[in-house]
Amino acid sequence: MAVYRLCVTTGPYLKAGTMDSIYTTLVGTCGESPKQRLDRVGRDFASGSVQKYKVRCAAELGELLLLRLHKERYAFFRKDSWYCSRISVTGPDGTVVHFPCYQWIEGYCTIELRPGTARTICHDSLPLLLDHRKREVQARQECYRWKIYAPGFPRMVDVSSFEEMESDKNFALTKTAPYVDQGDSPGNRYLPGFPMKIDLPSLLHMEPNIRYSATKTASLIFNALPASLGMKIRGLLDRKGSWKKLDDIRNIFWCHKTFTSEYVTQHWCEDNFFGYQYLNGVNPVMLHCLSSLPNKLPVTNDMVAPLLGPGTCLQTELERGNIFLADYWILADAPVNCLNGRQQYVAAPLCLLWLNPQGALLPLAIQLGQTPGPESPIFLPTDSEWDWLLAKTWVRNSEFLVHENNTHFLCTHLLCEAFSMATLRQLPLCHPVYKLLLPHTRYTLQVNTIARATLLNPDGLVDKVTSIGRRGLIYLMSTGLAHFTYTNFCLPDSLRARGVLTIPNYHYRDDGLKIWAAIESFVSAIVGYYYPSDASVQEDSELQAWVSEIFTQAFLGRESSGFPSRLCTPGELVKYLTAIIFNCSAQHAAVNSGQHDFGAWMPNAPSSMRQPPPQTKGTTTLKSYLDTLPEVNVTCNNLLLFWLVSQEPKDQRPLGTYPDEHFTEEVPKQSIAVFQSCLAQISRDIRERNQSLALPYAYLDPPLIENSVSI
């Protein structure tokens, strides 16, 4: 008689326990145990419980290969969910084998768990284990199907497949849901108390292992309701028309002010702060260093000489590498929207900036169109105060549109969703890359589904607050993806290509490079342990299928993107994984967390403009300026969104925090500890630096970075 001792841990979450009967079967190289119920006196699987059981076998089973969990009805109780964290099995000889689970188990079913030791397909030779890998991946492909949301978009999760699974319908493993215009969806409707339509059906069916926890859901609602009700009670969400005076905007969020939002309110119209935001604002990826001016921006030395001062000229500053350009060409053909029944307007400006000897980045010239000419004047700091301020505000509106649609939603949310989908569909639980990436996919599919149901849907919030609306959003993102490259995706390469490695006071760059290096070191240790040679990468068919699916589904098979469709060396794998983890965590924090800080003062980030770009100088007044800014209700709806997305709901897991122990071997566990130590040092360095800054930059402080795109 051989006795195996099991230690079963139930997750500590709300409703994680179950009343269902749980049985287990152990499978080893020498046989398998009888199916045995795990039962003790009292309730066995309460939330947060750790229970011990014995499984008796006629003989030892040899090396344990699988652990089967059978979840079945108990008496008259209704079926419920169970969150199993892990199971440890101690064999007759005292050997302990850990079986990580960390998933919700729904209904009556049987699941099979592998030991925690990570293994690529090249490490498995037994037909039983190879078949298990294949069946596991097929089951996930049934659950997570791709959907074409819009032409030119990265593919995304088809939430209707979750409803089909609940209904026990049969469907193809590789089926891709075609593009369907959501305007005809009967579920896309207005709900009481909401200013926009909500695609309710897409929110009702969500696979339990990707949906928000009860804690995070409650926190999200609690963050939203007080601010929304406050605006509603004061009538701000329904008030149309222009703001009477700029100071009235200060009172929108009288109880949600931050140090940074107050700093922005005080300094928003200063040229120094305008330039600062290109380095450390929410869209710190726009600047390119120039060696010569483009033909479409005919700025002359005489125009900018008063700002450059004596002893230098425009050509000299170009040669010194001190002239930079922010080019919003992508907006030139963007569709425009109507808000409150009125036509809105979009510009595609070119903004020229100069790095002065004191290390400040200052705007030199602004042209509000891509084609020079008499109807597209070049605005200068020497123009009248209101002309220059309006020109800068048009640039800030373009910043808003490019940042929200491309830098933020496309390049973090949508791409990270594609990475999550490919990871779930192509890699089994025992794969080292799955174990590495899973924490960085947490809640991404859920938050993007919420965004599509409330923001991106027809008559959703994007249609209610932006000058381009949903049609313009689709245009910007599809055009942005068509021009997005692997160089843009990898921070060190992007900084080098844009020529911004030596600009002083570029805290996003400095902090980002430190975090990139920490992630790269961590990933190198993991990859080096499991992939000792080029052949080990090339022969991993699951890994290659994962890379290929990302290339075809996220980047639509576009060779010019530079994204790999196949990986050949451990070094290539390290770079690819580093970029994915960085963009799922640090990059998202950098472009998301400061939205309320920099946008609460609406003129610094207007979501729409109600008058066309000026074609002549000397016509702008305070009244015409206020009549160009968004109306009161448009402003408030947009600021409500800024507040919500800048507040990470509870149930957070900062970068490098891995409470779910998917890796059970000592080497990767030591690598995690080193990674955490490195992040802690980066945090100390950032906080020490911030003490001497007039405006601290904390968006890339590791404890404030979420592991994944989850809001």
Side-chain angles (χ1 to χ4, degrees), residues 52 140 179 223 262 274 276 285-286 342 376 399 405 645:
K52 296 181 179 180
R140 287 218 230 101
Y179 167 64
N223 285 342
E262 286 296 282
F274 180 88
Y276 168 90
V285 298
M286 286 297 297
R342 292 186 53 181
S376 185
E399 267 284 293
N405 293 289
V645 299

mmCIF file of all heavy atoms in Angstrom, residues 52 140 179 223 262 274 276 285-286 342 376 399 405 645:
data_model
loop_
_atom_site.group_PDB
_atom_site.id
_atom_site.type_symbol
_atom_site.label_atom_id
_atom_site.label_comp_id
_atom_site.label_asym_id
_atom_site.label_seq_id
_atom_site.Cartn_x
_atom_site.Cartn_y
_atom_site.Cartn_z
ATOM 1 N N LYS A 52 -5.787 18.986 3.925
ATOM 2 C CA LYS A 52 -4.890 17.863 3.665
ATOM 3 C C LYS A 52 -5.686 16.567 3.556
ATOM 4 O O LYS A 52 -6.626 16.338 4.316
ATOM 5 C CB LYS A 52 -3.840 17.757 4.776
ATOM 6 C CG LYS A 52 -2.909 18.969 4.832
ATOM 7 C CD LYS A 52 -1.860 18.826 5.928
ATOM 8 C CE LYS A 52 -0.926 20.040 5.941
ATOM 9 N NZ LYS A 52 0.105 19.942 7.002
ATOM 10 N N ARG A 140 -8.428 25.505 -25.254
ATOM 11 C CA ARG A 140 -8.374 26.953 -25.119
ATOM 12 C C ARG A 140 -8.681 27.655 -26.433
ATOM 13 O O ARG A 140 -9.227 28.751 -26.446
ATOM 14 C CB ARG A 140 -7.014 27.382 -24.567
ATOM 15 C CG ARG A 140 -6.907 27.033 -23.103
ATOM 16 C CD ARG A 140 -6.184 28.106 -22.327
ATOM 17 N NE ARG A 140 -5.154 27.437 -21.551
ATOM 18 C CZ ARG A 140 -3.889 27.396 -21.885
ATOM 19 N NH1 ARG A 140 -3.460 28.020 -22.955
ATOM 20 N NH2 ARG A 140 -3.034 26.756 -21.135
ATOM 21 N N TYR A 179 -16.025 40.675 -39.524
ATOM 22 C CA TYR A 179 -16.354 42.045 -39.140
ATOM 23 C C TYR A 179 -17.834 42.294 -39.378
ATOM 24 O O TYR A 179 -18.375 42.015 -40.437
ATOM 25 C CB TYR A 179 -15.521 43.033 -39.960
ATOM 26 C CG TYR A 179 -16.005 44.465 -39.865
ATOM 27 C CD1 TYR A 179 -15.979 45.142 -38.644
ATOM 28 C CD2 TYR A 179 -16.482 45.132 -40.984
ATOM 29 C CE1 TYR A 179 -16.401 46.453 -38.549
ATOM 30 C CE2 TYR A 179 -16.906 46.447 -40.900
ATOM 31 C CZ TYR A 179 -16.872 47.097 -39.682
ATOM 32 O OH TYR A 179 -17.296 48.392 -39.593
ATOM 33 N N ASN A 223 -15.186 53.998 -7.832
ATOM 34 C CA ASN A 223 -14.429 55.119 -8.381
ATOM 35 C C ASN A 223 -15.287 55.983 -9.300
ATOM 36 O O ASN A 223 -15.143 57.206 -9.348
ATOM 37 C CB ASN A 223 -13.221 54.611 -9.171
ATOM 38 C CG ASN A 223 -12.093 54.125 -8.283
ATOM 39 O OD1 ASN A 223 -12.040 54.448 -7.102
ATOM 40 N ND2 ASN A 223 -11.192 53.343 -8.837
ATOM 41 N N GLU A 262 -3.031 70.401 -10.254
ATOM 42 C CA GLU A 262 -2.960 71.799 -9.842
ATOM 43 C C GLU A 262 -1.776 72.508 -10.509
ATOM 44 O O GLU A 262 -1.874 73.672 -10.915
ATOM 45 C CB GLU A 262 -2.841 71.889 -8.318
ATOM 46 C CG GLU A 262 -4.135 71.578 -7.590
ATOM 47 C CD GLU A 262 -5.218 72.595 -7.906
ATOM 48 O OE1 GLU A 262 -5.191 73.701 -7.342
ATOM 49 O OE2 GLU A 262 -6.085 72.284 -8.762
ATOM 50 N N PHE A 274 4.636 73.596 -21.980
ATOM 51 C CA PHE A 274 4.202 73.011 -23.252
ATOM 52 C C PHE A 274 5.267 72.046 -23.775
ATOM 53 O O PHE A 274 4.975 70.917 -24.181
ATOM 54 C CB PHE A 274 3.929 74.130 -24.254
ATOM 55 C CG PHE A 274 3.476 73.658 -25.608
ATOM 56 C CD1 PHE A 274 2.137 73.451 -25.873
ATOM 57 C CD2 PHE A 274 4.396 73.437 -26.631
ATOM 58 C CE1 PHE A 274 1.720 73.023 -27.127
ATOM 59 C CE2 PHE A 274 3.995 73.012 -27.888
ATOM 60 C CZ PHE A 274 2.643 72.802 -28.132
ATOM 61 N N TYR A 276 7.751 70.711 -21.966
ATOM 62 C CA TYR A 276 7.977 69.671 -20.953
ATOM 63 C C TYR A 276 7.080 68.459 -21.185
ATOM 64 O O TYR A 276 7.501 67.304 -20.988
ATOM 65 C CB TYR A 276 7.722 70.257 -19.568
ATOM 66 C CG TYR A 276 7.642 69.238 -18.458
ATOM 67 C CD1 TYR A 276 8.785 68.857 -17.757
ATOM 68 C CD2 TYR A 276 6.430 68.653 -18.105
ATOM 69 C CE1 TYR A 276 8.714 67.909 -16.733
ATOM 70 C CE2 TYR A 276 6.352 67.710 -17.096
ATOM 71 C CZ TYR A 276 7.489 67.339 -16.411
ATOM 72 O OH TYR A 276 7.416 66.407 -15.406
ATOM 73 N N VAL A 285 6.254 60.182 -26.722
ATOM 74 C CA VAL A 285 6.873 59.406 -27.809
ATOM 75 C C VAL A 285 6.794 60.127 -29.159
ATOM 76 O O VAL A 285 7.040 59.514 -30.199
ATOM 77 C CB VAL A 285 6.200 58.019 -27.925
ATOM 78 C CG1 VAL A 285 6.390 57.220 -26.643
ATOM 79 C CG2 VAL A 285 4.714 58.145 -28.254
ATOM 80 N N MET A 286 6.492 61.427 -29.165
ATOM 81 C CA MET A 286 6.216 62.125 -30.419
ATOM 82 C C MET A 286 7.425 62.810 -31.044
ATOM 83 O O MET A 286 7.464 63.025 -32.250
ATOM 84 C CB MET A 286 5.128 63.183 -30.192
ATOM 85 C CG MET A 286 3.729 62.628 -30.016
ATOM 86 S SD MET A 286 3.110 61.750 -31.467
ATOM 87 C CE MET A 286 3.064 63.066 -32.675
ATOM 88 N N ARG A 342 -23.458 69.841 -33.674
ATOM 89 C CA ARG A 342 -22.593 70.817 -34.338
ATOM 90 C C ARG A 342 -21.349 70.145 -34.907
ATOM 91 O O ARG A 342 -20.773 69.262 -34.279
ATOM 92 C CB ARG A 342 -22.150 71.910 -33.358
ATOM 93 C CG ARG A 342 -23.266 72.835 -32.891
ATOM 94 C CD ARG A 342 -22.706 73.960 -32.056
ATOM 95 N NE ARG A 342 -21.627 74.667 -32.753
ATOM 96 C CZ ARG A 342 -20.964 75.685 -32.227
ATOM 97 N NH1 ARG A 342 -21.260 76.115 -31.005
ATOM 98 N NH2 ARG A 342 -19.991 76.273 -32.904
ATOM 99 N N SER A 376 -2.447 78.723 -44.326
ATOM 100 C CA SER A 376 -1.886 77.916 -43.238
ATOM 101 C C SER A 376 -0.688 78.655 -42.650
ATOM 102 O O SER A 376 0.461 78.262 -42.828
ATOM 103 C CB SER A 376 -1.470 76.534 -43.752
ATOM 104 O OG SER A 376 -1.041 75.707 -42.689
ATOM 105 N N GLU A 399 -2.584 66.257 -29.867
ATOM 106 C CA GLU A 399 -1.937 65.367 -28.899
ATOM 107 C C GLU A 399 -2.953 64.425 -28.270
ATOM 108 O O GLU A 399 -2.716 63.225 -28.133
ATOM 109 C CB GLU A 399 -1.273 66.190 -27.792
ATOM 110 C CG GLU A 399 0.177 66.518 -28.020
ATOM 111 C CD GLU A 399 1.070 65.318 -27.767
ATOM 112 O OE1 GLU A 399 1.190 64.866 -26.618
ATOM 113 O OE2 GLU A 399 1.642 64.817 -28.745
ATOM 114 N N ASN A 405 -5.940 57.437 -29.011
ATOM 115 C CA ASN A 405 -6.277 56.403 -29.976
ATOM 116 C C ASN A 405 -5.106 55.492 -30.317
ATOM 117 O O ASN A 405 -5.281 54.269 -30.393
ATOM 118 C CB ASN A 405 -6.830 57.044 -31.251
ATOM 119 C CG ASN A 405 -8.160 57.720 -31.016
ATOM 120 O OD1 ASN A 405 -9.165 57.060 -30.810
ATOM 121 N ND2 ASN A 405 -8.177 59.037 -31.033
ATOM 122 N N VAL A 645 -10.056 56.171 -15.647
ATOM 123 C CA VAL A 645 -8.972 55.332 -16.147
ATOM 124 C C VAL A 645 -7.652 55.621 -15.453
ATOM 125 O O VAL A 645 -6.707 54.824 -15.549
ATOM 126 C CB VAL A 645 -8.807 55.470 -17.675
ATOM 127 C CG1 VAL A 645 -10.071 55.047 -18.386
ATOM 128 C CG2 VAL A 645 -8.418 56.890 -18.064
#
